[in-house]
Amino acid sequence: MKPNELKYGDVDRLIIDNVEEGEYLVNRAVFTDEQVFELEMKYIFERNWVFVGLDSELANPNDYFTTFVGRQPVIVMRDANGELAAFINSCPHKGARVGHHRKGNTKQFVCSYHGWTFNTAGECIYIKDQDSGGYAEPFNQLDHGLYKIKFGTYRGFMFASLTDDVPTLEEHLGEAMPLLDLIWDQGPDGVEEIPGRSTYTYDANWKMQLENCIDGYHLTSCHPSFMNVVSRRKAGESDNQQVKSIDFNMLGQVEGGTACMPRGHAVIYSPNAAEHERGLFLHKDELVERCGEAKTKWMLATRNLTIYPNVQFAENASLQMRIIRPISVDKTEMTIVCIGAKGESDAARLIRIRQYEDFFNTSGLATPDDTIAYEDCQFGYQGKELAWSQGYSRGISNVKSSADELTDEIGFDPETSSYGKMTDWDESVFYGGYRAWKKFIKDGLAVDGKD
Ligand code: FES
Ligand SMILES: [Fe+2]
C-alpha cells in the first residue's frame, strides 16, 4: 500500500503486526501523513493522560508553569493553599492567554486585554466594570474562571488530560509505576529538575524520538564519537577522569531486556558495569538501607523508559527527562532536563551534571547524532515509492508474553518482554507503542462514530 491510498481512519493497514509469523512492518505514512498526525493529536494526545512535569517545578504556593497538552495551551499551578491543578491557558472573556511566561510565581493573573483577574486556583476574582456592564442573568450564571482540566500525580510525576473520559492515572501507568519508583526513590524526598533545561526542535516526526530512546541498535553506529571519547578516557588518554559513565567494553558480555506494557509504555534495561562511576553510587549505602538490594541494583542500572505518549526517562550516562511535543507531522519540540535526587551531596550532583553535559545536553555528544538521524529518516520518507520500514524485526523470534526473572526482581509484569545479550539489540520493544497507537486511534474513531 502506498501512503497516498490512505483513507481516513484506515489505521489497521498501516502496521503489519504478525508476530506469530515473524512479520512486523510499519508503513512510513505513520511518519508523514497529515491525516495520521491529526488522528494522533486528537486521540492519543487530547484524549489521554499526558505528562506535564515534575512537582519540583511547583514547589511553593502560587508557583505556576505554562505548557501544552496536545495542541492546547495549558497552565499548571499550585494555589495559595498548596493544591495542584491544571487549566486551559485562555481567558474565558475573549481568549487571551493569561500566563505569558514559561514559569513563575504570582498571586493573580490579570488578563492584559480587558483586565479580568484570576487567582491561582483558577477562580475569576475580578471583572473590570462589572457593575456598569448591563450583564444579564445568563452571563451571571456562567463560571468565569479558567477552564479546569483533569489532573493527577503519581509520586511527583504530574499528568493532565483534556477529557475526564480516561482511566485513572494508576490504571494508565499500570506496570510502569515500579519503574517510575526506581527514579523517584533515588532520594528520600524524590527527585527534582536540575536548573538548565533546554528546548529545541527537530524537523521530523515525534515518534522518531519515541522509538530512539528504546532503540539500542543505533548506539554503536550512531554514537561512535562518544564511545571513542569514553574509551580513550578509560585508557588514560585524557585528563578527564570524571565522565566514564558507561563501560562500552562490556557491551557484548552484558545481558539485558526489553519490555512493553499496555497503553504504550516501554523500557529497555541492563546492569551497568560502570555503576561505580555514577553520582548515585555515592549514596549506595543509604539506598540499600532505604530501598533494599534489588531495587538499588536496578536504580543504578541502565534503563530507558518511555511513558506513552510524551515523556522519557533515560538513565544511562546520568538521568535525563525528555518531554516530547509534536508540532506538525514533521516537526517536534523537545524539552530536556537533567533530574537528580533532592538533597543529594554536592559530589554526586557534580558527577551527575558533568555526565549529563557530556552525553545528553543539546551540546552533548549524543543529542546531535540522534536528531540528525531523525531528520535523515524524515528526508528519506519523501521516497514514497518505498512504503514499508523493516526496522521492527530484530528479536521477533524471542518475544515472550510473560515476565522474566529480572523483571520479577524489580516487581513488574509487562505485557511482552525479551531478554538476552545487550548486543542482540532487540526491536520488538516497539510493538507495544504501535499496539497502543492503533488502539487509541481506533477506540477514538469508534466513540466518534467514524469507524
Ligand atoms: S480577553 Fe481576557 S479580559 Fe478580555
Ligand atoms: Fe542515541
Side-chain angles (χ1 to χ4, degrees):
M1 186 184 74
K2 299 280 172 58
N4 57 10
E5 294 168 4
L6 178 70
K7 295 195 202 75
Y8 189 82
D10 197 2
V11 293
D12 252 341
R13 294 195 298 150
L14 292 174
I15 314 284
I16 296 176
D17 183 346
N18 191 8
V19 174
E20 289 69 32
E21 303 290 324
E23 184 182 33
Y24 204 103
L25 294 165
V26 173
N27 193 290
R28 294 170 175 195
V30 307
F31 300 102
T32 59
D33 192 286
E34 307 269 1
Q35 292 177 24
V36 168
F37 183 77
E38 183 67 28
L39 295 172
E40 291 174 339
M41 290 304 99
K42 194 167 173 187
Y43 298 129
I44 298 177
F45 279 80
E46 295 174 357
R47 290 194 193 171
N48 191 9
W49 286 106
V50 165
F51 180 77
V52 290
L54 292 181
D55 70 356
S56 66
E57 286 291 270
L58 302 175
N60 301 307
N62 301 321
D63 277 352
Y64 73 92
F65 65 81
T66 57
T67 184
F68 289 84
V69 173
R71 294 163 293 192
Q72 305 196 25
V74 161
I75 183 162
V76 187
M77 302 194 270
R78 187 183 290 281
D79 72 15
N81 298 318
E83 290 296 314
L84 293 167
F87 306 87
I88 300 291
N89 185 8
S90 172
C91 176
H93 180 232
K94 292 187 82 167
R97 73 176 83 180
V98 292
H100 286 78
H101 303 291
R102 191 190 79 71
K103 62 182 290 190
N105 181 282
T106 186
K107 289 202 171 81
Q108 56 193 37
F109 294 88
V110 181
C111 181
S112 52
Y113 201 1
H114 309 89
W116 287 23
T117 302
F118 309 89
N119 65 18
T120 49
E123 296 158 342
C124 182
I125 52 174
Y126 176 69
I127 291 178
K128 186 178 69 169
D129 300 333
Q130 184 168 16
D131 293 347
S132 60
Y135 290 114
E137 201 46 31
F139 174 84
N140 296 333
Q141 295 296 322
L142 292 173
D143 180 350
H144 309 301
L146 299 176
Y147 185 87
K148 195 172 194 173
I149 60 171
K150 196 168 177 70
F151 177 85
T153 57
Y154 175 69
R155 312 298 296 271
F157 302 95
M158 303 189 294
F159 295 80
S161 165
L162 294 173
T163 167
D164 287 340
D165 190 17
V166 282
T168 65
L169 182 58
E170 282 68 25
E171 286 165 347
H172 170 66
L173 295 172
E175 294 297 325
M177 286 189 286
L179 298 170
L180 288 171
D181 292 344
L182 292 179
I183 298 167
W184 190 256
D185 288 329
Q186 291 187 19
D189 300 314
V191 291
E192 62 187 354
E193 279 200 23
I194 296 172
R197 59 156 60 189
S198 317
T199 299
Y200 59 92
T201 58
Y202 65 81
D203 291 332
N205 189 266
W206 64 281
K207 296 186 296 301
M208 299 303 302
Q209 173 63 49
L210 205 72
E211 289 188 16
N212 184 70
C213 184
I214 47 175
D215 175 339
Y217 192 35
H218 80 286
L219 177 68
T220 50
S221 44
C222 191
H223 299 303
S225 42
F226 178 70
M227 294 180 69
N228 289 338
V229 164
V230 173
S231 298
R232 291 175 70 168
R233 285 177 191 152
K234 278 200 190 301
E237 294 177 40
S238 164
D239 291 339
N240 185 339
Q241 292 304 306
Q242 198 170 35
V243 186
K244 294 178 286 189
S245 47
I246 303 178
D247 189 344
F248 291 111
N249 299 326
M250 297 295 288
L251 275 181
Q253 294 152 55
V254 173
E255 298 211 318
T258 74
C260 297
M261 291 155 267
R263 298 182 71 81
H265 317 312
V267 66
I268 61 175
Y269 60 94
S270 72
N272 182 358
E275 65 170 29
H276 52 282
E277 303 281 0
R278 307 291 310 280
L280 190 62
F281 190 82
L282 300 184
H283 294 276
K284 187 173 179 185
D285 292 345
E286 187 273 323
L287 287 174
V288 170
E289 195 174 319
R290 184 164 48 83
C291 304
E293 290 279 354
K295 197 164 166 182
T296 300
K297 175 176 137 192
W298 286 104
M299 282 177 178
L300 285 161
T302 296
R303 305 175 320 281
N304 281 12
L305 170 69
T306 293
I307 302 294
Y308 200 82
N310 78 320
V311 67
Q312 299 180 314
F313 298 93
E315 174 106 50
N316 45 74
S318 194
L319 174 53
Q320 183 185 50
M321 182 171 81
R322 302 172 175 146
I323 305 175
I324 303 168
R325 179 163 82 96
I327 293 175
S328 65
V329 71
D330 56 3
K331 190 179 270 298
T332 305
E333 181 192 84
M334 295 296 305
T335 296
I336 58 169
V337 59
C338 183
I339 62 178
K342 286 179 192 163
E344 67 186 349
S345 63
D346 289 350
R349 180 65 56 105
L350 185 68
I351 295 171
R352 192 186 285 278
I353 294 173
R354 290 290 97 85
Q355 291 178 342
Y356 180 81
E357 291 164 345
D358 204 46
F359 187 69
F360 282 130
N361 210 23
T362 40
S363 55
L365 280 161
T367 304
D369 295 340
D370 290 325
T371 48
I372 289 299
Y374 312 158
E375 292 183 350
D376 278 349
C377 290
Q378 201 74 27
F379 177 89
Y381 296 154
Q382 292 175 97
K384 290 196 171 156
E385 298 309 313
L386 177 55
W388 296 94
S389 281
Q390 301 172 15
Y392 304 86
S393 297
R394 292 183 67 90
I396 198 164
S397 312
N398 304 327
V399 184
K400 297 185 296 182
S401 57
S402 59
D404 52 54
E405 269 176 45
L406 287 173
T407 52
D408 285 348
E409 205 172 302
I410 48 177
F412 90 110
D413 184 16
E415 195 164 51
T416 60
S417 70
S418 173
Y419 190 78
K421 279 214 160 45
M422 270 311 279
T423 46
D424 292 349
W425 308 127
D426 174 63
E427 290 176 338
S428 73
V429 68
F430 303 132
Y431 302 166
Y434 281 107
R435 285 178 187 151
W437 181 88
K438 246 189 211 183
K439 184 167 167 35
F440 280 122
I441 294 176
K442 287 172 70 177
D443 287 354
L445 287 167
V447 167
D448 288 355
K450 290 184 180 166
D451 52 336

